[in-house]
Amino acid sequence: MKKLVALVLSAVMFASFACGCSSKGEDKKFIVGFDSEFPPMGFIDDSGNYVGFDLELAAEVAKRLDMEFVAQPIAWDSKDTELASGNIDCIWNGFTITGREDQYTWSEPYMANSQVVVVRSDSGIAALEDLAGKSVCVQKDSSGLAAVEENPDLASTFAELVQVESYLNAMMELESGAVDAIVMDEIVARYELSNSDADLVVLNVSLAAEEYGVGFLLGNEELRDKVQNTLKEMKADGTLAKISEKWFEKDITIVK
């Protein structure tokens, strides 16, 4: 009987130890939510891999924090649900702080951006007033949509405002002639145009200036601080500049 009790106790202790190890391992995952159709910040390459500037930054942060990096694609208009449910630890994907300051616990800004207008080069559209009577496209729940909504005098001149799931969809709509213009992130627009044969141009106007940050669940200062301090280390040792130069041919980060 004593041997039986000892075996049972040993089994319970082993199971508790195993569960403890499992929980610890799960805690060491760094799950980053991102839009998989948002190049160059996060997207799927020709080999089916998740790649991008933000994902590379996040992977390096996870490595330095001794955490397992997990790139988790999400529907952009479901990002808040994903974060609140614990399916992801943060949103890191060209995520605009401006206008969302009180909705998340933010890292410090790491990049500046603007909302711009993209049109076909033969469209005859050269200024914002030329968008009157035109079909304008934005991504759902995006900063581009917010920029349009914050300019009601401009938006009221559009023939229609079309919302799509991703900016890659928007680009296809524009190229096909289904829409006349896109309001979108300048960084994404210029990257896409420089890496495609599409006959599109970015107008020399900005609807809104903004900054990118890493968004955590409101109140999660602990993880935010770890990530922020690691980004500062990467700035100091030149890693941040190296990754930026790989994707943009120069260092466009603003981490202090």
Side-chain angles (χ1 to χ4, degrees):
M1 180 63 70
K2 289 182 179 179
K3 289 183 178 180
L4 179 59
V5 171
L7 286 171
V8 171
L9 289 173
S10 296
V12 170
M13 290 176 65
F14 178 79
S16 298
F17 176 75
C19 289
C21 289
S22 176
S23 295
K24 184 177 179 181
E26 290 175 359
D27 289 343
K28 289 178 71 67
K29 287 184 178 180
F30 183 42
I31 306 175
V32 173
F34 75 104
D35 177 353
S36 63
E37 296 186 352
F38 201 65
M41 315 313 277
F43 61 104
I44 304 173
D45 68 11
D46 293 337
S47 299
N49 300 311
Y50 297 134
V51 297
F53 173 71
D54 281 342
L55 295 186
E56 195 163 336
L57 290 187
E60 179 64 22
V61 166
K63 178 182 176 182
R64 295 186 183 211
L65 292 175
D66 193 27
M67 301 176 78
E68 178 188 350
F69 172 64
V70 179
Q72 180 61 57
I74 58 175
W76 195 243
D77 56 355
S78 299
K79 58 186 178 296
D80 292 342
T81 301
E82 297 282 351
L83 189 60
S85 67
N87 289 339
I88 58 176
D89 294 314
C90 67
I91 303 166
W92 195 337
N93 192 214
F95 195 25
T96 300
I97 299 173
T98 313
R100 300 186 177 109
E101 290 87 348
D102 300 328
Q103 299 174 31
Y104 307 88
T105 289
W106 288 100
S107 71
E108 294 175 14
Y110 66 90
M111 186 176 290
N113 181 56
S114 295
Q115 291 299 319
V116 296
V117 179
V118 181
V119 299
R120 293 183 300 278
S121 60
D122 61 354
S123 67
I125 300 172
L128 293 180
E129 52 264 32
D130 297 331
L131 295 174
K134 304 297 185 183
S135 176
V136 179
C137 189
V138 294
Q139 183 182 28
K140 293 179 181 177
D141 198 31
S142 68
S143 296
L145 174 59
V148 170
E149 291 176 338
E150 289 166 7
N151 286 272
D153 291 343
L154 173 65
S156 65
T157 69
F158 300 164
E160 63 175 341
L161 181 64
V162 178
Q163 298 185 42
V164 296
E165 294 296 333
S166 75
Y167 276 120
L168 294 185
N169 288 342
M171 287 285 189
M172 290 188 286
E173 292 287 288
L174 181 59
E175 288 186 74
S176 71
V179 299
D180 300 301
I182 310 171
V183 176
M184 62 184 298
D185 294 55
E186 181 176 15
I187 288 173
V188 177
R190 294 197 184 281
Y191 180 85
E192 278 295 285
L193 268 57
S194 67
N195 287 277
S196 75
D197 297 325
D199 196 15
L200 307 176
V201 295
V202 178
L203 298 189
N204 190 29
V205 292
S206 171
L207 270 72
E210 57 191 34
E211 293 177 321
Y212 287 160
V214 185
F216 300 84
L217 188 66
L218 202 60
N220 191 1
E221 285 89 359
E222 181 179 0
L223 183 56
R224 186 274 310 276
D225 291 348
K226 289 179 180 179
V227 171
Q228 183 61 54
N229 290 336
T230 306
L231 284 173
K232 289 184 176 181
E233 291 173 4
M234 291 165 60
K235 172 69 174 181
D237 66 23
T239 304
L240 204 61
K242 183 178 180 180
I243 296 174
S244 180
E245 288 162 2
K246 170 185 173 180
W247 287 97
F248 304 107
E249 299 184 347
K250 60 182 179 179
D251 184 10
I252 60 174
T253 61
I254 58 174
V255 174
K256 299 178 181 178

